Amino acid sequence: MPRSVGARMTVGPGINLKGEIADCDTLVVEGTVDVTLVGEVLEVSEGGTYTGTATVSEAEINGRFEGELTVSGALLIRSGGHVTGTVKYGRIEVESGGEITGSVMREANATRSTSA
């Protein structure tokens, strides 16, 4: 699970949010958002839906992500997670049952592991 840092915002179940989110280090999505985010950590909970663009250091997807996702560090797609769109990542882990579709590529500037 990604670590929480600094300013944290949770969009609870049943909440719909549209717009741009700024100065938010950790965004937890339990409801539905259609936003642009630049932050540190994105968590989309089971039942949560994120539509839009996100540029973060770490992401954990248990719900649904649709759009453009850039993760400089670790992207974790849990067994109930569905990611669709353009995805760039530093490291990726997809649990059995998790889904990722679209354009998927490793970030060129990501830190490479020295172990094989």
Side-chain angles (χ1 to χ4, degrees):
M1 182 169 198
R3 59 182 171 76
S4 285
V5 294
R8 178 183 177 95
M9 182 168 93
T10 300
V11 178
I15 302 294
N16 293 307
L17 178 68
K18 278 189 166 190
E20 185 173 321
I21 299 175
D23 300 324
C24 178
D25 294 321
T26 301
L27 175 64
V28 179
V29 179
E30 297 171 348
T32 302
V33 299
D34 183 353
V35 298
T36 298
L37 168 71
V38 176
E40 290 297 317
V41 178
L42 171 63
E43 295 177 27
V44 180
S45 300
E46 186 176 341
T49 301
Y50 187 111
T51 303
T53 303
T55 303
V56 294
S57 297
E58 299 178 28
E60 180 176 338
I61 311 298
N62 282 297
R64 190 167 294 280
F65 182 99
E66 298 176 13
E68 187 174 326
L69 176 59
T70 302
V71 182
S72 59
L75 167 58
L76 175 57
I77 302 172
R78 295 283 187 192
S79 61
H82 301 276
V83 177
T84 304
T86 302
V87 180
K88 297 177 185 171
Y89 63 89
R91 294 181 313 280
I92 189 169
E93 180 181 339
V94 181
E95 290 183 347
S96 179
E99 297 179 4
I100 185 168
T101 57
S103 172
V104 181
M105 66 186 78
R106 189 169 195 282
E107 276 280 85
N109 62 352
T111 305
R112 292 195 180 268
S113 174
T114 55
S115 62

